[in-house]
Amino acid sequence: NAGVMQNPRHLVRRRGQEARLRCSPMKGHSHVYWYRQLPEEGLKFMVYLQKENIIDESGMPKERFSAEFPKEGPSILRIQQVVRGDSAAYFCASSSGVAGNDYGYTFGSGTRLTVV
Amino acid sequence: AQSVSQHNHHVILSEAASLELGCNYSYGGTVNLFWYVQYPGQHLQLLLKYFSGDPLVKGIKGFEAEFIKSKFSFNLRKPSVQWSDTAEYFCAVNAQGNNRLAFGKGNQVVVIP
């Protein structure tokens, strides 16, 4: 079992470009969560998705950020027109059910986005 | 909403010393509690979790944590650390039935050989 796979590990973008971050959940997991870690901060919840559905996006910035989890393929976190403040580590986690129950999360290694 | 406080962001100690990391949360309802560890360059790994039952939880690698409901605390301990315990440690909380975890800011622990 390969675990939660995120790519790329490191991503450099110029201001105004688009960033696409990918997350393949663990085999058998249909719930995906995205978190952002800013320097010297803990992880902040962004969005929770199940296949083809956004369940909770209350942690997503209102503009420029979007997420999807299509029926086939990985979950994508998309950031349009990146700014320097978007520089952070973005972590994906997956679970087999609602994480508040006894399923827990498995985290990926993260994508470190640097905006120059 | 839940919030989590971790103090002493940077901790430096020698091998064989004892480690205790504090975690306090604010939420009035029933919670699940977690400690995660992130070794340099790696992903977050679950050290231990508390859902119910015995408030003293044993985790991997000799770590344990104690849930004290009256103090809203879930402190992590290890009696004797090793150099390989150098890592960042995160406390996390979620309300039972809730999908999101609230994380503390983390403790950067450096163990000197």
Side-chain angles (χ1 to χ4, degrees):
Chain A
N1 194 329
V4 178
M5 304 301 293
Q6 287 189 251
N7 66 80
R9 291 291 303 272
H10 300 276
L11 181 62
V12 180
R13 284 288 177 266
R14 296 186 184 279
R15 281 179 295 170
Q17 290 184 320
E18 179 180 284
R20 281 180 169 248
L21 288 63
R22 295 174 185 77
C23 170
S24 297
M26 277 186 69
K27 187 176 180 181
H29 285 189
S30 58
H31 300 250
V32 166
Y33 313 82
W34 285 94
Y35 287 79
R36 177 166 63 175
Q37 183 181 27
L38 295 168
E40 302 293 318
E41 296 284 333
L43 280 75
K44 303 290 186 188
F45 170 81
M46 298 182 76
V47 63
Y48 163 40
L49 310 101
Q50 294 182 32
K51 281 289 186 181
E52 299 185 276
N53 291 305
I54 296 174
I55 307 301
D56 180 355
E57 58 181 347
S58 56
M60 289 277 271
K62 298 299 180 194
E63 297 176 350
R64 302 187 297 106
F65 284 71
S66 62
E68 63 178 13
F69 188 17
K71 187 176 180 181
E72 302 291 337
S75 175
I76 306 287
L77 180 68
R78 183 180 175 207
I79 311 172
Q80 295 177 292
Q81 299 175 319
V82 296
V83 301
R84 288 225 172 98
D86 297 332
S87 295
Y90 292 83
F91 289 93
C92 172
S94 72
S95 74
S96 56
V98 174
N101 300 329
D102 198 16
Y103 296 107
Y105 284 172
T106 301
F107 279 87
S109 297
T111 294
R112 279 152 183 81
L113 172 65
T114 303
V115 180
V116 297
Chain B
Q2 309 100 48
S3 67
V4 181
S5 297
Q6 291 181 248
H7 307 289
N8 302 322
H9 184 65
H10 296 279
V11 177
I12 301 173
L13 61 169
S14 300
E15 277 193 314
S18 64
L19 172 68
E20 180 159 358
L21 301 177
C23 174
N24 290 90
Y25 66 93
S26 63
Y27 181 71
T30 304
V31 294
N32 301 315
L33 299 149
F34 306 82
W35 275 97
Y36 285 88
V37 60
Q38 186 177 24
Y39 298 105
Q42 296 189 27
H43 61 278
L44 277 80
Q45 301 174 41
L46 183 65
L47 268 181
L48 47 78
K49 62 185 178 184
Y50 173 81
F51 279 54
S52 63
D54 188 345
L56 184 62
V57 180
K58 303 284 187 185
I60 60 171
K61 307 188 181 191
F63 285 90
E64 65 178 30
E66 185 176 12
F67 171 48
I68 303 179
K69 189 174 181 180
S70 61
K71 295 185 178 180
F72 297 90
S73 70
F74 189 55
N75 293 354
L76 181 71
R77 297 191 291 256
K78 184 169 183 177
S80 176
V81 295
Q82 300 173 311
W83 173 79
S84 58
D85 293 321
T86 295
E88 191 151 19
Y89 294 80
F90 293 96
C91 181
V93 171
N94 74 344
Q96 284 192 354
N98 192 310
N99 54 284
R100 60 165 72 185
L101 285 172
F103 282 85
K105 291 187 177 183
N107 296 106
Q108 183 64 57
V109 174
V110 175
V111 179
I112 301 170

